[in-house]
Amino acid sequence: MPAEAVRPVNLPARVEIFDTTLRDGSQAEGFSLTARDKLRVAEQLDRLGVHYIEGGWPGANPKDGEFFARASAGELALGTAKLVAFGSTRKAGGRAETDPVMADLLQAGTDFVCLVAKSARWHVTETLQTTTTEALDMVADSVAFLRSHGRVVFVDAEHFFDGYLEDPLFPRDFLRVVEQSGATAVLCDTNGGALPHQAQRAVGEARKVVSGHLGVHFHNDSGCAVANSLVAVCEGADHVQGCVNGYGERTGNADLTAVIPDLSLKLGVETIGRENLALLAPVAHHIAEIVNLAPNPHQPFVGASAFAHKAGIHTSAIARAPGAYSHVDPEAVGNSARVVLSEMSGRSAVALKAQEMGLRLSDGEMADIVGRLKELENRGYHFEVADGSLELLMRKATGWKQSFFHLESHRVVTDLHRDGTFMTEARIKVLVGDERILEVAEGNGPVHALDAALRKALGPRHPELSRIHLTDYKVRVLDSALGTGAVTRVLIDSTDGERTWTTIGVSENIIEASWEALSDSIVFGLLHAGATEHVGEAGVGAAAGGGVAGTGAGTSGAGV
Ligand SMILES: [Zn+2]
């Protein structure tokens, strides 16, 4: 997309990025981070180059207290990011000097503090049940107290946008008090309902009141958090708060993985630096893994499908001009373009896919793949969504065969125990090079047990496996087009911490389909981790005569 000819008048040259994944973002459903997880997320955010990392609310819960204690004890070595502690102002009618929240904030030991305070008249009188004068004094006193202890202070103006619509006078007074007391105001759309034209007007008015830094913090309840953040910057806001991957309670916070590239690549505003932009997709995926939420493939900029083009009318245009159907260069944000192949794909699409993978295919091999795709998709495979298996299929057409391991047999047994719990045990016999290995592992289901057994078998030869994890497992029962009864399609998503891939298995037997997807996942992971293959180390006959290695007695622990 061509750069804008006319720059918005109030557009700043540089915007500070303030990440609140560890505080606001961790309000998301399904989030449960230990202090150690929080330290690892903070390391990734620092690697990405965000300017501020809000670590949590010290004193509000023990984990956040532990996080700040461990961070200040040297367990968190930040390169450029500044750590921020979050809390509220002193209580109504109280004193900052004796307020427990103020004490917790000092105890956290950060140079930067973010306070939340109500900036809407209705919230002051109705939910806080105090006067607007006292509400402003609470802000001024708290900021003065923290500054007297050497802290740099941000003030989150809670309900600013709703309050501004209701009565702009009090929010304006609020901003004046924040600035006069020496803090930076951050305008918050706490309920997340603001629309871009409302955000634009309110930020424009706020910009007239505030001469220094001005921040914004949008929730995504109306689906406009990113748009509102961009509009706010166009109106002169130069500090944007949000979360990596848009995490947050309800519908989430402004997604920084979209805000950052939109500001940098489209508005030409300096954020985390061009060279760091290429870390966006890897860091977004890494953090998704730490917080244990499957990455959204359709997420703008960083999703696995963000630059995927379905083979067809676009394919020949993309072959001629790679940027023809992309809004930005995918490499700029650490992502990559890919062609999605399906049974509808012709030779030109297969050729493009091969080129993307760095494979040289002969005409015969190309025809082979097109035919094989049609045949497999007819049996229920769906390679559009299984890039990992597709790559292996294409490699096989060139005569390549994986030699990390060869399955001799596997067996999966599920027991129902007297207390009503199920336990699954998998036994696997594989050949790894010239070694025949038998392993047994328990799991909370057949895939988990098979995965655990395979890892035990391969682990000693392939330490790279410890970085590879399965992140999602999906099963779908399909009516067979051939009328031979239903077949099961299994999709497994995996990651090595930065790259994600999907593999597929199809069979009338769910265990068989799962095994197919699982073994493809492990092979793909090992291949891309640069693991050594065991080509030619031993033939099947020689290995089959060897002794059985491994004790077969180990289990991975009950209930896992
Ligand atoms: Zn918030």
Side-chain angles (χ1 to χ4, degrees):
M1 197 182 134
E4 198 118 24
V6 183
R7 256 178 99 86
V9 182
N10 289 325
L11 191 73
R14 181 175 181 273
V15 165
E16 293 178 340
I17 302 297
F18 182 111
D19 181 280
T20 180
T21 303
L22 296 177
R23 200 273 302 172
D24 220 2
S26 62
Q27 303 297 311
E29 272 181 77
F31 246 68
S32 173
L33 301 185
T34 62
R36 161 137 183 77
D37 293 335
K38 296 186 90 170
L39 291 165
R40 288 169 63 209
V41 170
E43 281 164 8
Q44 288 300 313
L45 292 169
D46 181 52
R47 179 180 164 220
L48 179 62
V50 304
H51 305 102
Y52 298 99
I53 299 170
E54 195 167 55
W57 187 324
N61 71 62
K63 266 187 232 166
D64 285 7
E66 185 192 342
F67 167 78
F68 283 109
R70 289 171 66 170
S72 62
E75 271 193 65
L76 183 63
L78 296 178
T80 52
K82 307 287 184 222
L83 195 59
V84 183
F86 178 86
S88 54
T89 61
R90 70 156 172 83
K91 286 196 181 59
R95 293 178 59 233
E97 289 72 14
T98 53
D99 192 278
V101 174
M102 293 291 121
D104 287 334
L105 286 169
L106 292 183
Q107 168 80 26
T110 59
D111 292 335
F112 294 80
V113 167
C114 185
L115 295 176
V116 62
K118 298 194 188 309
S119 64
R121 180 187 292 276
W122 184 86
H123 279 274
V124 169
T125 54
E126 299 308 311
T127 67
L128 202 59
Q129 303 233 312
T130 189
T131 63
T132 50
T133 311
E134 171 64 358
L136 297 177
D137 285 347
M138 287 158 67
V139 172
D141 288 356
S142 306
V143 173
F145 174 77
L146 290 167
R147 291 190 69 214
S148 74
H149 285 83
R151 303 303 194 264
V152 177
V153 185
F154 298 99
V155 176
D156 273 2
E158 200 184 16
H159 299 293
F160 178 84
F161 291 90
D162 293 337
Y164 188 84
L165 283 178
E166 172 208 5
D167 168 15
L169 292 180
F170 178 69
R172 264 185 227 149
D173 290 343
F174 184 96
L175 295 181
R176 282 193 197 99
V177 167
V178 171
E179 184 154 61
Q180 279 160 13
S181 55
T184 297
V186 180
L187 316 178
C188 297
D189 184 19
T190 310
N191 295 352
L195 297 178
H197 71 288
Q198 296 165 333
Q200 181 178 26
R201 202 180 62 201
V203 175
E205 290 299 316
R207 189 70 277 187
K208 290 178 194 159
V209 177
V210 177
S211 56
H213 284 302
L214 180 64
V216 288
H217 173 122
F218 288 99
H219 282 255
N220 197 36
D221 298 72
S222 56
C224 297
V226 170
N228 287 342
S229 303
L230 300 179
V231 159
V233 171
C234 290
E235 287 299 316
D238 59 357
H239 168 112
V240 174
Q241 302 195 346
C243 297
V244 159
N245 297 329
Y247 295 137
E249 64 183 323
R250 308 190 306 276
T251 57
N253 285 61
D255 183 357
L256 289 180
T257 44
V259 170
I260 291 171
D262 279 334
L263 289 177
S264 305
L265 297 174
K266 304 198 167 185
L267 286 167
V269 171
E270 189 192 326
T271 56
I272 56 172
R274 284 271 169 152
E275 62 291 350
N276 283 21
L277 267 185
L279 293 170
L280 207 57
V283 166
H285 294 163
H286 199 127
I287 290 178
E289 199 202 343
I290 298 170
V291 305
N292 201 22
L293 290 175
N296 170 10
H298 303 292
Q299 199 175 336
F301 295 100
V302 299
S305 301
F307 299 97
H309 299 281
K310 204 152 178 170
I313 49 162
H314 294 171
T315 323
S316 49
I318 293 165
R320 283 195 296 273
Y325 285 88
S326 297
H327 69 128
V328 296
D329 173 11
E331 312 279 337
V333 291
N335 207 337
S336 52
R338 63 189 176 90
V339 175
V340 176
L341 287 193
S342 72
E343 58 184 335
M344 305 298 286
S345 308
R347 277 170 176 241
S348 65
V350 172
L352 204 59
K353 186 78 196 171
Q355 188 191 337
E356 178 189 310
M357 288 163 43
L359 277 183
R360 281 166 169 269
L361 295 176
S362 69
D363 280 357
E365 289 163 348
M366 206 98 84
D368 231 37
I369 292 170
V370 174
R372 189 101 179 96
L373 274 173
K374 282 196 168 52
E375 178 204 328
L376 289 170
E377 298 234 335
N378 195 36
R379 276 168 48 196
Y381 286 82
H382 193 44
F383 287 99
E384 261 180 59
V385 291
D387 53 343
S389 291
L390 175 66
E391 178 171 331
L392 298 182
L393 177 106
M394 291 182 67
R395 286 186 189 279
K396 281 178 204 157
T398 66
W400 173 84
K401 253 177 108 176
Q402 73 91 359
S403 54
F404 298 112
F405 62 92
H406 295 286
L407 177 71
E408 189 179 306
S409 66
H410 67 64
R411 178 187 168 138
V412 180
V413 182
T414 295
D415 292 317
L416 171 60
H417 291 256
R418 228 196 275 173
D419 61 0
T421 57
F422 283 94
M423 176 51 62
T424 305
E425 185 183 88
R427 190 168 76 156
I428 193 167
K429 290 181 197 164
V430 291
L431 301 168
V432 180
D434 54 5
E435 203 180 346
R436 183 165 178 263
I437 300 171
L438 183 152
E439 283 293 356
V440 178
E442 288 180 334
N444 53 16
V447 180
H448 188 215
L450 275 170
D451 182 45
L454 183 59
R455 279 164 191 278
K456 281 172 78 177
L458 305 183
R461 297 285 279 272
H462 292 296
E464 310 89 343
L465 264 182
S466 62
R467 288 204 310 273
I468 299 168
H469 306 285
L470 312 188
T471 55
D472 204 4
Y473 171 79
K474 295 185 218 75
V475 178
R476 217 167 133 188
V477 177
L478 309 169
D479 288 328
S480 168
L482 302 171
T484 53
V487 295
T488 303
R489 175 200 287 160
V490 168
L491 289 171
I492 290 179
D493 294 339
S494 309
T495 182
D496 58 11
E498 297 196 346
R499 174 201 286 266
T500 61
W501 61 93
T502 306
T503 51
I504 190 166
V506 172
S507 169
E508 286 174 38
N509 180 320
I510 187 172
I511 304 282
E512 208 38 58
S514 303
W515 168 258
E516 190 184 3
L518 174 68
S519 57
D520 267 10
S521 155
I522 298 290
V523 169
F524 184 97
L526 288 174
L527 196 63
H528 286 274
T532 328
E533 300 198 44
H534 305 286
V535 185
E537 274 186 48
V540 172
V548 173
T551 63
T555 55
S556 57
V560 288

PDB file of all heavy atoms in Angstrom, residues 20 23-25 156 188-190 217-219 241 249 253, ligand 1:
ATOM      1  N   THR A  20       0.666  -4.063  28.610  1.00  0.00           N
ATOM      2  CA  THR A  20       0.029  -4.407  29.886  1.00  0.00           C
ATOM      3  C   THR A  20      -0.482  -5.854  29.909  1.00  0.00           C
ATOM      4  O   THR A  20      -1.397  -6.196  30.642  1.00  0.00           O
ATOM      5  CB  THR A  20      -1.064  -3.371  30.259  1.00  0.00           C
ATOM      6  OG1 THR A  20      -1.653  -3.751  31.507  1.00  0.00           O
ATOM      7  CG2 THR A  20      -2.140  -3.269  29.187  1.00  0.00           C
ATOM      8  N   ARG A  23      -0.573  -7.348  33.358  1.00  0.00           N
ATOM      9  CA  ARG A  23      -1.526  -6.786  34.330  1.00  0.00           C
ATOM     10  C   ARG A  23      -2.944  -6.876  33.737  1.00  0.00           C
ATOM     11  O   ARG A  23      -3.691  -7.791  34.050  1.00  0.00           O
ATOM     12  CB  ARG A  23      -1.132  -5.333  34.652  1.00  0.00           C
ATOM     13  CG  ARG A  23      -1.718  -4.796  35.947  1.00  0.00           C
ATOM     14  CD  ARG A  23      -3.087  -4.183  35.790  1.00  0.00           C
ATOM     15  NE  ARG A  23      -3.125  -3.083  34.825  1.00  0.00           N
ATOM     16  CZ  ARG A  23      -4.261  -2.515  34.435  1.00  0.00           C
ATOM     17  NH1 ARG A  23      -5.423  -2.924  34.916  1.00  0.00           N
ATOM     18  NH2 ARG A  23      -4.250  -1.550  33.533  1.00  0.00           N
ATOM     19  N   ASP A  24      -3.278  -6.029  32.793  1.00  0.00           N
ATOM     20  CA  ASP A  24      -4.626  -6.025  32.229  1.00  0.00           C
ATOM     21  C   ASP A  24      -4.875  -7.294  31.393  1.00  0.00           C
ATOM     22  O   ASP A  24      -5.931  -7.904  31.470  1.00  0.00           O
ATOM     23  CB  ASP A  24      -4.791  -4.792  31.343  1.00  0.00           C
ATOM     24  CG  ASP A  24      -6.150  -4.146  31.491  1.00  0.00           C
ATOM     25  OD1 ASP A  24      -6.937  -4.640  32.320  1.00  0.00           O
ATOM     26  OD2 ASP A  24      -6.441  -3.173  30.773  1.00  0.00           O
ATOM     27  N   GLY A  25      -3.890  -7.674  30.601  1.00  0.00           N
ATOM     28  CA  GLY A  25      -4.043  -8.842  29.723  1.00  0.00           C
ATOM     29  C   GLY A  25      -4.293 -10.119  30.486  1.00  0.00           C
ATOM     30  O   GLY A  25      -5.007 -11.011  30.031  1.00  0.00           O
ATOM     31  N   ASP A 156      -3.763   6.367  34.780  1.00  0.00           N
ATOM     32  CA  ASP A 156      -4.799   5.826  33.898  1.00  0.00           C
ATOM     33  C   ASP A 156      -6.116   6.525  34.213  1.00  0.00           C
ATOM     34  O   ASP A 156      -6.672   6.347  35.304  1.00  0.00           O
ATOM     35  CB  ASP A 156      -4.966   4.313  34.127  1.00  0.00           C
ATOM     36  CG  ASP A 156      -3.996   3.492  33.285  1.00  0.00           C
ATOM     37  OD1 ASP A 156      -3.172   4.090  32.564  1.00  0.00           O
ATOM     38  OD2 ASP A 156      -4.068   2.245  33.357  1.00  0.00           O
ATOM     39  N   CYS A 188      -8.388   6.227  29.192  1.00  0.00           N
ATOM     40  CA  CYS A 188      -8.787   4.821  29.134  1.00  0.00           C
ATOM     41  C   CYS A 188     -10.234   4.665  28.686  1.00  0.00           C
ATOM     42  O   CYS A 188     -11.134   5.320  29.212  1.00  0.00           O
ATOM     43  CB  CYS A 188      -8.650   4.166  30.508  1.00  0.00           C
ATOM     44  SG  CYS A 188      -6.957   4.154  31.097  1.00  0.00           S
ATOM     45  N   ASP A 189     -10.420   3.759  27.724  1.00  0.00           N
ATOM     46  CA  ASP A 189     -11.776   3.347  27.369  1.00  0.00           C
ATOM     47  C   ASP A 189     -12.028   2.052  28.119  1.00  0.00           C
ATOM     48  O   ASP A 189     -11.883   0.960  27.582  1.00  0.00           O
ATOM     49  CB  ASP A 189     -11.899   3.148  25.855  1.00  0.00           C
ATOM     50  CG  ASP A 189     -13.331   2.819  25.444  1.00  0.00           C
ATOM     51  OD1 ASP A 189     -14.257   3.101  26.243  1.00  0.00           O
ATOM     52  OD2 ASP A 189     -13.519   2.270  24.342  1.00  0.00           O
ATOM     53  N   THR A 190     -12.400   2.203  29.384  1.00  0.00           N
ATOM     54  CA  THR A 190     -12.461   1.077  30.302  1.00  0.00           C
ATOM     55  C   THR A 190     -13.512   0.053  29.886  1.00  0.00           C
ATOM     56  O   THR A 190     -13.282  -1.146  29.971  1.00  0.00           O
ATOM     57  CB  THR A 190     -12.744   1.604  31.726  1.00  0.00           C
ATOM     58  OG1 THR A 190     -11.805   2.648  31.987  1.00  0.00           O
ATOM     59  CG2 THR A 190     -12.632   0.515  32.767  1.00  0.00           C
ATOM     60  N   HIS A 217      -5.501   4.032  26.119  1.00  0.00           N
ATOM     61  CA  HIS A 217      -5.642   2.635  26.559  1.00  0.00           C
ATOM     62  C   HIS A 217      -7.059   2.205  26.174  1.00  0.00           C
ATOM     63  O   HIS A 217      -8.022   2.633  26.800  1.00  0.00           O
ATOM     64  CB  HIS A 217      -5.415   2.613  28.080  1.00  0.00           C
ATOM     65  CG  HIS A 217      -5.668   1.311  28.767  1.00  0.00           C
ATOM     66  ND1 HIS A 217      -4.690   0.665  29.508  1.00  0.00           N
ATOM     67  CD2 HIS A 217      -6.765   0.523  28.869  1.00  0.00           C
ATOM     68  CE1 HIS A 217      -5.189  -0.445  30.039  1.00  0.00           C
ATOM     69  NE2 HIS A 217      -6.455  -0.550  29.662  1.00  0.00           N
ATOM     70  N   PHE A 218      -7.157   1.401  25.111  1.00  0.00           N
ATOM     71  CA  PHE A 218      -8.479   1.021  24.617  1.00  0.00           C
ATOM     72  C   PHE A 218      -8.752  -0.464  24.818  1.00  0.00           C
ATOM     73  O   PHE A 218      -7.900  -1.305  24.530  1.00  0.00           O
ATOM     74  CB  PHE A 218      -8.609   1.329  23.117  1.00  0.00           C
ATOM     75  CG  PHE A 218      -8.722   2.799  22.821  1.00  0.00           C
ATOM     76  CD1 PHE A 218      -7.612   3.523  22.418  1.00  0.00           C
ATOM     77  CD2 PHE A 218      -9.942   3.451  22.963  1.00  0.00           C
ATOM     78  CE1 PHE A 218      -7.714   4.886  22.146  1.00  0.00           C
ATOM     79  CE2 PHE A 218     -10.053   4.808  22.692  1.00  0.00           C
ATOM     80  CZ  PHE A 218      -8.935   5.532  22.282  1.00  0.00           C
ATOM     81  N   HIS A 219      -9.981  -0.752  25.255  1.00  0.00           N
ATOM     82  CA  HIS A 219     -10.473  -2.138  25.266  1.00  0.00           C
ATOM     83  C   HIS A 219     -11.269  -2.352  23.976  1.00  0.00           C
ATOM     84  O   HIS A 219     -11.700  -1.401  23.330  1.00  0.00           O
ATOM     85  CB  HIS A 219     -11.307  -2.397  26.515  1.00  0.00           C
ATOM     86  CG  HIS A 219     -10.442  -2.602  27.724  1.00  0.00           C
ATOM     87  ND1 HIS A 219     -10.220  -3.828  28.278  1.00  0.00           N
ATOM     88  CD2 HIS A 219      -9.717  -1.713  28.443  1.00  0.00           C
ATOM     89  CE1 HIS A 219      -9.394  -3.699  29.308  1.00  0.00           C
ATOM     90  NE2 HIS A 219      -9.071  -2.425  29.440  1.00  0.00           N
ATOM     91  N   GLN A 241      -1.096   2.109  25.073  1.00  0.00           N
ATOM     92  CA  GLN A 241      -1.089   0.906  25.897  1.00  0.00           C
ATOM     93  C   GLN A 241      -1.901  -0.187  25.211  1.00  0.00           C
ATOM     94  O   GLN A 241      -2.856   0.088  24.497  1.00  0.00           O
ATOM     95  CB  GLN A 241      -1.692   1.203  27.277  1.00  0.00           C
ATOM     96  CG  GLN A 241      -0.949   2.307  28.017  1.00  0.00           C
ATOM     97  CD  GLN A 241      -1.280   2.362  29.503  1.00  0.00           C
ATOM     98  OE1 GLN A 241      -2.244   1.753  29.962  1.00  0.00           O
ATOM     99  NE2 GLN A 241      -0.480   3.088  30.252  1.00  0.00           N
ATOM    100  N   GLU A 249      -9.408  -9.050  29.395  1.00  0.00           N
ATOM    101  CA  GLU A 249     -10.717  -9.571  29.803  1.00  0.00           C
ATOM    102  C   GLU A 249     -11.767  -9.248  28.731  1.00  0.00           C
ATOM    103  O   GLU A 249     -11.563  -8.376  27.898  1.00  0.00           O
ATOM    104  CB  GLU A 249     -11.124  -9.028  31.172  1.00  0.00           C
ATOM    105  CG  GLU A 249     -11.338  -7.536  31.221  1.00  0.00           C
ATOM    106  CD  GLU A 249     -11.662  -7.050  32.629  1.00  0.00           C
ATOM    107  OE1 GLU A 249     -12.373  -7.756  33.367  1.00  0.00           O
ATOM    108  OE2 GLU A 249     -11.206  -5.954  32.983  1.00  0.00           O
ATOM    109  N   ASN A 253      -7.762  -6.305  25.003  1.00  0.00           N
ATOM    110  CA  ASN A 253      -7.201  -4.952  24.902  1.00  0.00           C
ATOM    111  C   ASN A 253      -6.783  -4.691  23.456  1.00  0.00           C
ATOM    112  O   ASN A 253      -6.763  -5.607  22.648  1.00  0.00           O
ATOM    113  CB  ASN A 253      -5.960  -4.843  25.793  1.00  0.00           C
ATOM    114  CG  ASN A 253      -6.299  -4.738  27.266  1.00  0.00           C
ATOM    115  OD1 ASN A 253      -6.904  -5.626  27.843  1.00  0.00           O
ATOM    116  ND2 ASN A 253      -5.903  -3.640  27.883  1.00  0.00           N
TER     117      ASN A 253
HETATM  118 ZN    ZN B   1      -7.702  -1.827  30.832  1.00  0.00          ZN
END
